[in-house]
Amino acid sequence: MLQTLVVNVLALIVTLGILVTIHEFGHFWVARKCGVKVLRFSIGFGKAVKTWVGKDGTEYVIAPIPLGGYVKMLGQDDTNAEAGSQVSEDEKHMAFNYKPLWQRFAIVAAGPIANFLLAIFVFWVINVAYGTRGISPVISHVEPDSPAWEAGLREGDEITAVDGKPVSLWQQVNLKLLDRLGESGNLMITAIPAQSRQGAVSATDNQSTETFAVAIQNWMGNTTEPNPLGSLGIVQYEIPPVIDTIVPGGRAEAGGLQSGDTVVSANGTDIRSWSHWVSMIQQSPELPLDVVVQRESELVALEIVPQATEAADATQMGRIGAGVQIYDLYNSLPAERRREVSFNPLSAIGPAMVETWDKSVFVLDSIKKMVIGLISVKNINGPITIAQVAGETASYGLEVYLGFLAILSISLGVLNLLPIPVLDGGHLLYYIIEAIIRRPVPERVQAMGLQLGLLIVGSIMVLALYNDVSRLM
């Protein structure tokens, strides 16, 4: 427990430290290029851990709380340069608010842009170092009477597009489905029916496709852990129901389940996969399950009563305290189901830019849906959740952690561009208004906007922290 906490805290400090440094360096670098005198470059909040003055005259500060930072520039506090300033005449050419409007705009926009550039760079590194690897989206199972079943999708169908957008890997299918989070209407899923796939002589044959309309209603709007395929009744692939870890004192141990057992059936129903087994457990809180497992060469009958736990949506679901055995799904599949794409340094640039754009649009769309009520505000995460995810992704390996870092950098960039006073986007809004009316926004309006912005940002931070604590309880 202590070790996990230490790892999470260190991961949080490193992750936010990187993002904040890149963001503030964007402001700093463009300000210097525009001839603005930078008084202080601070990373983190709280009492300074280290302070020094560079040869450029800038005071550099490192503080222990990595939840933000700032670049203080000469003349930046003058909300209206025309109304007078404490900046001396011989330094006005180096003062922020005496620079042309386009330069002030560029300096403020440079922070979020730096975050987007970091994401592009990280995705480029992932593409060059690891390439893209995944599994073709061939449906392993469709739950009877589920939305996908009602629409006509069946086992063996291969999904080729979601809402008209081509997909070739399961992870792409998931991302396209998440674009419809909280919405109502029809999901248009295009697939090659199993019969057509089986009748093809080779993978290059022209195989006929069909488009299926899957009905959705306020789709997963209230969930904090969306499972788009599962909610449609689609099973991506089957992982054998082999037990690995047993939680001491849990219902699995009490029922006699052991590591290495393969679950054969529950209440007379054959268990086809780990996800099927988990589904039965979740649907049976405090209800006895007559389970048959294969233990080495014999079948063993057990009775397991899943413990009732409360899900995020306040519904009851069962848990037994058991984990699945690690299974190399990718290498166990036939070659035609495995898909790999490698990139050279040049060819990796385009996909990195496209992925950054797509995820930026997704973050912005998700924010819009939260504002209008299509998605629960419980999805807003704070530093505790970020620390947990950062720690987990770091333990999964460099590729996974880098992907998380890129997504977080995109989120930071998008959030800072929102037109809320105190954020970069609020300042950019003032500059746009200034360009239209040909004079700075009145100080009184800016002061009112500052108070409103602080209220909005403060409320969001409190809500995020509340969500974090709620998840821990």
Side-chain angles (χ1 to χ4, degrees):
M1 181 67 179
L2 179 59
Q3 182 180 3
T4 301
L5 178 62
V6 171
V7 170
N8 289 349
V9 171
L10 289 176
L12 175 68
I13 293 173
V14 171
T15 302
L16 293 185
I18 293 172
L19 298 181
V20 170
T21 300
I22 293 296
H23 180 94
E24 298 304 334
F25 181 77
H27 293 309
F28 173 81
W29 188 80
V30 176
R32 295 293 300 273
K33 289 295 181 181
C34 291
V36 174
K37 182 178 180 180
V38 179
L39 303 177
R40 184 178 298 118
F41 185 154
S42 178
I43 300 300
F45 295 125
K47 186 177 181 180
V49 174
K50 184 173 179 58
T51 303
W52 71 97
V53 178
K55 294 180 179 179
D56 53 4
T58 300
E59 180 187 17
Y60 294 90
V61 179
I62 297 177
I65 305 174
L67 297 180
Y70 63 92
V71 172
K72 182 175 177 60
M73 296 170 279
L74 180 68
Q76 188 177 7
D77 295 333
D78 296 337
T79 56
N80 188 343
E82 301 298 326
S85 171
Q86 295 181 353
V87 178
S88 62
E89 287 294 331
D90 59 344
E91 284 189 317
K92 283 186 177 180
H93 69 284
M94 297 185 295
F96 173 79
N97 251 27
Y98 289 87
K99 290 295 180 179
L101 180 60
W102 71 268
Q103 289 190 355
R104 285 181 277 143
F105 193 99
I107 292 169
V108 172
I113 291 174
N115 287 123
F116 295 128
L117 291 176
L118 173 62
I120 292 172
F121 174 73
V122 171
F123 285 136
W124 176 83
V125 170
I126 293 173
N127 289 340
V128 172
Y130 302 98
T132 300
R133 191 178 86 157
I135 298 172
S136 60
V138 177
I139 298 173
S140 292
H141 179 74
V142 180
E143 297 290 347
D145 302 321
S146 65
W149 178 276
E150 295 293 339
L153 286 161
R154 295 294 183 267
E155 178 181 334
D157 294 352
E158 181 174 357
I159 300 174
T160 59
V162 176
D163 287 332
K165 300 173 183 176
V167 293
S168 60
L169 302 172
W170 272 122
Q171 53 262 45
Q172 294 173 342
V173 175
N174 271 296
L175 288 174
K176 298 302 180 187
L177 291 176
L178 285 172
D179 286 341
R180 299 293 302 275
L181 197 65
E183 297 182 17
S184 301
N186 286 324
L187 268 169
M188 308 307 295
I189 297 180
T190 303
I192 303 171
Q195 303 92 319
S196 178
R197 291 180 57 249
Q198 293 168 357
V201 176
S202 69
T204 58
D205 285 353
N206 291 324
Q207 301 171 11
S208 61
T209 62
E210 293 183 26
T211 299
F212 305 87
V214 184
I216 55 174
Q217 181 68 36
N218 189 26
W219 192 43
M220 300 186 296
N222 294 321
T223 181
T224 57
E225 297 180 1
N227 177 11
L229 288 166
S231 70
L232 297 179
I234 296 175
V235 177
Q236 303 175 61
Y237 28 71
E238 308 281 20
I239 297 176
V242 181
I243 306 297
D244 182 25
T245 55
I246 301 291
V247 177
R251 297 294 177 88
E253 184 182 61
L257 205 59
Q258 297 180 11
S259 178
D261 287 350
T262 299
V263 182
V264 177
S265 66
N267 286 351
T269 301
D270 291 340
I271 301 298
R272 64 178 183 275
S273 66
W274 179 260
S275 61
H276 186 201
W277 168 232
V278 170
S279 177
M280 289 204 67
I281 294 170
Q282 291 177 340
Q283 295 171 18
S284 308
E286 302 301 337
L287 298 175
L289 291 175
D290 294 322
V291 180
V292 176
V293 300
Q294 177 143 5
R295 185 172 297 163
E296 296 180 347
S297 59
E298 61 178 339
L299 296 177
V300 179
L302 306 170
E303 182 179 87
I304 301 174
V305 182
Q307 180 179 5
T309 59
E310 188 172 295
D313 58 0
T315 59
Q316 295 287 313
M317 69 177 187
R319 288 186 178 177
I320 64 171
V324 65
Q325 187 177 82
I326 295 175
Y327 179 70
D328 190 353
L329 174 69
Y330 185 80
N331 289 317
S332 71
L333 292 171
E336 62 269 17
R337 293 286 310 279
R338 302 195 299 259
R339 291 181 179 167
E340 296 184 25
V341 179
S342 58
F343 301 93
N344 60 45
L346 187 61
S347 65
I349 298 174
M353 296 177 68
V354 170
E355 189 162 7
T356 300
W357 171 262
D358 288 345
K359 286 182 168 55
S360 299
V361 172
F362 173 74
V363 171
L364 186 61
D365 189 51
S366 298
I367 294 172
K368 181 195 76 174
K369 289 179 179 179
M370 284 187 198
V371 171
I372 64 178
L374 292 180
I375 297 179
S376 172
V377 293
K378 293 179 180 179
N379 287 285
I380 298 176
N381 298 322
I384 297 175
T385 299
I386 293 173
Q388 290 177 327
V389 176
E392 290 176 5
T393 55
S395 68
Y396 294 153
L398 183 59
E399 180 183 3
V400 178
Y401 174 74
L402 287 176
F404 171 71
L405 179 67
I407 293 173
L408 207 56
S409 187
I410 290 170
S411 299
L412 181 60
V414 171
L415 289 173
N416 267 281
L417 285 177
L418 295 179
I420 300 174
V422 312
L423 297 180
D424 293 330
H427 294 294
L428 296 178
L429 177 62
Y430 287 152
Y431 297 150
I432 292 173
I433 295 174
E434 182 179 340
I436 295 172
I437 66 177
R438 304 287 182 167
R439 64 179 184 275
V441 175
E443 290 187 46
R444 181 175 59 85
V445 175
Q446 292 192 44
M448 293 173 58
L450 177 63
Q451 293 178 346
L452 177 61
L454 289 172
L455 177 62
I456 294 173
V457 173
S459 300
I460 293 173
M461 292 178 66
V462 170
L463 178 59
L465 192 59
Y466 172 79
N467 289 340
D468 281 357
V469 174
S470 297
R471 292 187 184 100
L472 293 176
M473 297 177 64

